[in-house]
Amino acid sequence: MSTKVSDSTIRRLSHYLRILETLERSGGGTVSSTHLAQAAGTTAAQVRKDLSLFGSFGKRGLGYQVADLGDRIRGILGLDRSWPVVLVGAGRIGSALFEYRDFRRRGFEIVSVLDRDARKVGVRWGPIEIEDAATLEAVIARESVEMLILAVPAPAAQEIVDRAVAAGVRGVLNFAPVRLRTPDGVFVHNVNMVMELEALSFDLTSREHGLEVGRGD
Amino acid sequence: MSTKVSDSTIRRLSHYLRILETLERSGGGTVSSTHLAQAAGTTAAQVRKDLSLFGSFGKRGLGYQVADLGDRIRGILGLDRSWPVVLVGAGRIGSALFEYRDFRRRGFEIVSVLDRDARKVGVRWGPIEIEDAATLEAVIARESVEMLILAVPAPAAQEIVDRAVAAGVRGVLNFAPVRLRTPDGVFVHNVNMVMELEALSFDLTSREHGLEVGRGD
């Protein structure tokens, strides 16, 4: 079978998982779609619809087994394993990301940090030493990494991605304010903080234009 | 008139604006929807559709006047003014955001940083001094701020937002890994880096499940 899954469904699965893991820590048991819905800011019907995409869970009226549903969602999201990640760009955003504990907690481990600035190469960040961006391909092979976090200036981003993809990277979390071109089968998620503020600015201005923001993603 | 505008349209407007500003710096002139489409990773038809939402621009076959279209999009996005912003949370992500030059370049100026940690209050960050989160309402009034950047731990987020909204904030860029509840007329954009990696993890795993990621947002 091939099921289409929207990015917003994936986002909600992440929210459901957070709730389930809180419940797991407090002993598990069962949880209702209504409870999951509230915490994820959606409806119970949406929760049932989301989960039904991946097979049937839970029993009508009995709710979902917390531990079982948590395992299933971790499996769906590919979080039943750990992911080594390479970070390119040892600037301010890169260092904030490197220190971001929630990544490791979730199984995403930054195993190498690269930068092209000779003054940064060799500098120790905790357990690792910043490597030369020129060695990107070797690092990707050495660590058999499929995920890249890109925190370099816009002009450098596409070249890094092209090299990373040629070396086997299949997923990129991109912080560079540029639209990356990648071949099919390579996934890019963009985090552009300025564009988020621009969207907020539109939201706060839109009424004056007689515009409304469409709901949804 | 009231036009529905999707978040993805807003995102594309931000991309168009970046291209237009590059062209403005190199002298302006005109630009085709095809050129705008390429740089924004979309189609010329989509560009025309997006722009038509806001009235008619350009002339068939002649393309768009770079300077004129740039002004119009800045007006639509509310970027023809500057936005004072309050940042709550002087941790690693907060400091990376504070140092992020692209915000000011775009007219978003972090005019105050607040934290509840007494060891941080009073510390100088460049031109400003970290203020006590207890004074949030006073700071919002003093700076007549409508935008808040929230970079605090999840458990602290909702209370800060409730107070900020009561004090007049209408837009929140939220980095706390939690779904915020806000009244109508208050806009929240979430940046959750762990969830972005979880979505990537799903992308890289989905084939094994016979799943496909739906295109679009």
Side-chain angles (χ1 to χ4, degrees), chain B residues 128-179:
Chain B
I128 66 130
E129 212 171 77
I130 298 173
E131 301 183 84
D132 188 331
T135 66
L136 177 63
E137 292 83 350
V139 169
I140 290 168
R142 183 189 75 213
E143 307 285 351
S144 39
V145 164
E146 290 181 296
M147 272 192 205
L148 178 82
I149 298 180
L150 195 58
V152 300
Q158 186 65 54
E159 182 233 337
I160 296 284
V161 165
D162 293 341
R163 290 171 51 204
V165 167
V169 160
R170 296 167 53 219
V172 178
L173 181 56
N174 174 39
F175 286 83
V178 59
R179 175 79 61 151

Side-chain angles (χ1 to χ4, degrees), chain A residues 15-216:
Chain A
H15 279 291
Y16 304 153
L17 183 56
R18 277 157 180 69
I19 303 147
L20 291 163
E21 290 178 337
T22 309
L23 295 169
E24 282 171 351
R25 283 190 293 274
S26 58
T30 63
V31 61
S32 67
S33 44
T34 312
H35 183 101
L36 288 172
Q38 281 162 358
T42 182
T43 65
Q46 183 67 66
V47 170
R48 289 188 293 266
K49 184 160 171 281
D50 289 337
L51 298 179
S52 66
L53 285 172
F54 308 101
S56 69
F57 301 96
K59 297 199 182 54
R60 262 227 168 289
L62 294 177
Y64 304 95
Q65 293 291 332
V66 167
D68 170 56
L69 185 55
D71 289 341
R72 295 291 296 275
I73 294 181
R74 277 185 289 267
I76 291 162
L77 293 176
L79 301 175
D80 48 1
R81 53 161 288 185
S82 69
W83 294 91
V85 181
V86 163
L87 167 65
V88 183
R92 290 198 180 85
I93 291 189
S95 69
L97 293 171
F98 182 76
E99 301 284 359
Y100 198 51
R101 292 184 188 75
D102 295 1
F103 285 155
R104 170 168 289 126
R105 237 178 250 137
R106 180 47 91 204
F108 301 103
E109 177 156 17
I110 295 174
V111 293
S112 172
V113 179
L114 298 92
D115 200 285
R116 67 175 177 186
D117 180 344
R119 290 161 304 177
K120 289 177 179 168
V121 174
V123 171
R124 285 207 78 77
W125 274 8
I128 67 133
E129 212 170 75
I130 297 173
E131 302 184 83
D132 188 333
T135 66
L136 178 63
E137 291 85 351
V139 169
I140 290 169
R142 184 187 78 213
E143 307 285 349
S144 41
V145 164
E146 290 181 296
M147 273 193 205
L148 179 81
I149 298 179
L150 194 59
V152 300
Q158 186 64 53
E159 182 234 339
I160 296 284
V161 165
D162 292 342
R163 291 171 50 203
V165 167
V169 161
R170 296 167 53 220
V172 179
L173 181 56
N174 174 39
F175 286 84
V178 60
R179 175 79 62 150
L180 298 171
R181 295 176 305 280
T182 54
D184 288 350
V186 176
F187 301 90
V188 177
H189 287 255
N190 297 290
V191 178
N192 187 317
M193 292 169 290
V194 177
M195 284 192 185
E196 294 298 334
L197 283 182
E198 290 178 7
L200 263 186
S201 163
F202 171 85
D203 293 336
L204 300 191
T205 312
S206 51
R207 297 255 162 87
E208 304 160 20
H209 300 295
L211 302 172
E212 271 177 72
V213 188
R215 277 302 106 236

Side-chain angles (χ1 to χ4, degrees), chain A residues 2 5 14 77 198 201 212 214 217, chain B residues 2 5 14 77 198 201 214 217:
Chain A
S2 174
V5 183
S14 287
L77 293 176
E198 290 178 7
S201 163
E212 271 177 72
D217 257 358
Chain B
S2 174
V5 184
S14 287
L77 294 177
E198 290 177 9
S201 163
D217 258 358

